[in-house]
Amino acid sequence: MDRPTQPIRSRLFPNYSQTILHDVAIIFKQFWPFLNTILKRAVRPPKICHRPLAVIGSHKASYCHINHSLFWKNLAPHASNAAYGSTGGWGGGVLKPGPLADAINRDFGSLEELQKQFNAATIGIQGSGWGWLVLDKSGRLVITTTPNQDPVIDSVPIIGVDIWEHAFYLQYKNVKPDYLAAIWHVINFEEAEKRLVHKSANL
């Protein structure tokens, strides 16, 4: 067979290469169902919120997503931001009279006392973690913390604050008290109240 009429594959790959490719193709075909299953699981979003708690323990990486999803919703531009105020939102740091303010006054005496106790508990976290204002099973607001990326399990998170170093280091270095004092100016109490009202109705 002259070169112009020689099969393209033969021209591109020597005979030994063709043999290797043939063997690889056979192996790939045999293992494809297994590989396909792995790939599907790798790209499928984990539905850990719908799984038993015993299974959640094997999905540590997904905890971070759960916590941060709540964290971003709990933040809003400060009320002094005119652009945000024009949308009709409360603005960060603003707690208006209503169910959340009533619950805070009932369980802590005042917003200032809540902030004081919350900051003290959160500063006490060794290493990385989260500070939480949660609604417990009795319907009361309590402060709790979780280590690392662990989420709240037995209560409903109302406000969550990230105390991982990446959350504050560029601006506050390692001065956690300054970060915690400042974050209350951008806490979205409106979102927190919506969560409280919704969960209270389902207790």
Side-chain angles (χ1 to χ4, degrees), residues 78-99:
H78 190 266
S80 61
N81 186 313
Y84 184 81
S86 65
T87 67
W90 292 9
V94 175
L95 175 62
K96 293 185 177 182

Side-chain angles (χ1 to χ4, degrees), residues 96-163:
K96 293 185 177 182
L100 180 59
D102 292 343
I104 289 174
N105 290 332
R106 179 196 67 206
D107 297 331
F108 297 97
S110 67
L111 175 60
E112 292 73 20
E113 184 61 25
L114 162 64
Q115 293 170 338
K116 178 181 176 182
Q117 293 184 30
F118 186 100
N119 290 0
T122 306
I123 288 173
I125 295 174
Q126 298 297 317
S128 301
W130 290 77
W132 302 97
L133 176 67
V134 303
L135 186 69
D136 69 11
K137 294 179 180 179
S138 69
R140 301 189 68 82
L141 293 176
V142 297
I143 295 167
T144 188
T145 62
T146 56
N148 303 315
Q149 69 269 42
D150 290 6
V152 173
I153 298 297
D154 297 325
S155 303
V156 177
I158 303 301
I159 293 174
V161 173
D162 187 352
I163 200 65

Side-chain angles (χ1 to χ4, degrees), residues 1 8 12 22 37-38 41 54 58-59 69 75 85-86 88 90-91 95 113 118 128 140 148 169 188 190-191:
M1 182 181 297
I8 293 176
L12 293 178
H22 181 263
T37 300
I38 293 177
R41 290 179 178 178
S58 64
H59 294 275
S69 294
L75 301 178
S86 65
W90 292 9
L95 175 62
E113 184 61 25
F118 186 100
S128 301
R140 301 189 68 82
N148 303 315
Y169 187 80
N188 189 344
E190 182 180 17
E191 172 66 24

Side-chain angles (χ1 to χ4, degrees), residues 4-15:
T5 59
Q6 189 178 9
I8 293 176
R9 187 177 66 177
S10 297
R11 296 203 307 267
L12 293 178
F13 303 104
N15 288 336

Side-chain angles (χ1 to χ4, degrees), residues 22-97:
H22 181 263
D23 293 342
V24 169
I26 292 176
I27 294 173
F28 188 79
K29 184 176 180 179
Q30 291 176 341
F31 283 91
W32 172 244
F34 174 71
L35 294 173
N36 190 41
T37 300
I38 293 177
L39 290 173
K40 286 182 177 179
R41 290 179 178 178
V43 300
R44 183 185 303 160
K47 299 179 180 179
I48 70 169
C49 292
H50 305 289
R51 298 181 181 181
L53 295 182
V55 179
I56 291 181
S58 64
H59 294 275
K60 288 284 188 178
S62 297
Y63 288 172
C64 190
H65 172 70
I66 293 174
N67 291 352
H68 281 93
S69 294
L70 185 147
F71 181 57
W72 302 134
K73 290 182 178 180
N74 268 151
L75 301 178
H78 190 266
S80 61
N81 186 313
Y84 184 81
S86 65
T87 67
W90 292 9
V94 175
L95 175 62
K96 293 185 177 182

Side-chain angles (χ1 to χ4, degrees), residues 172-190:
Y172 297 98
K173 301 305 179 183
N174 61 345
V175 187
K176 292 182 181 179
D178 289 355
Y179 161 67
L180 289 170
I183 201 168
W184 291 101
H185 296 294
V186 291
I187 288 294
N188 189 344
F189 287 106
E190 182 180 17

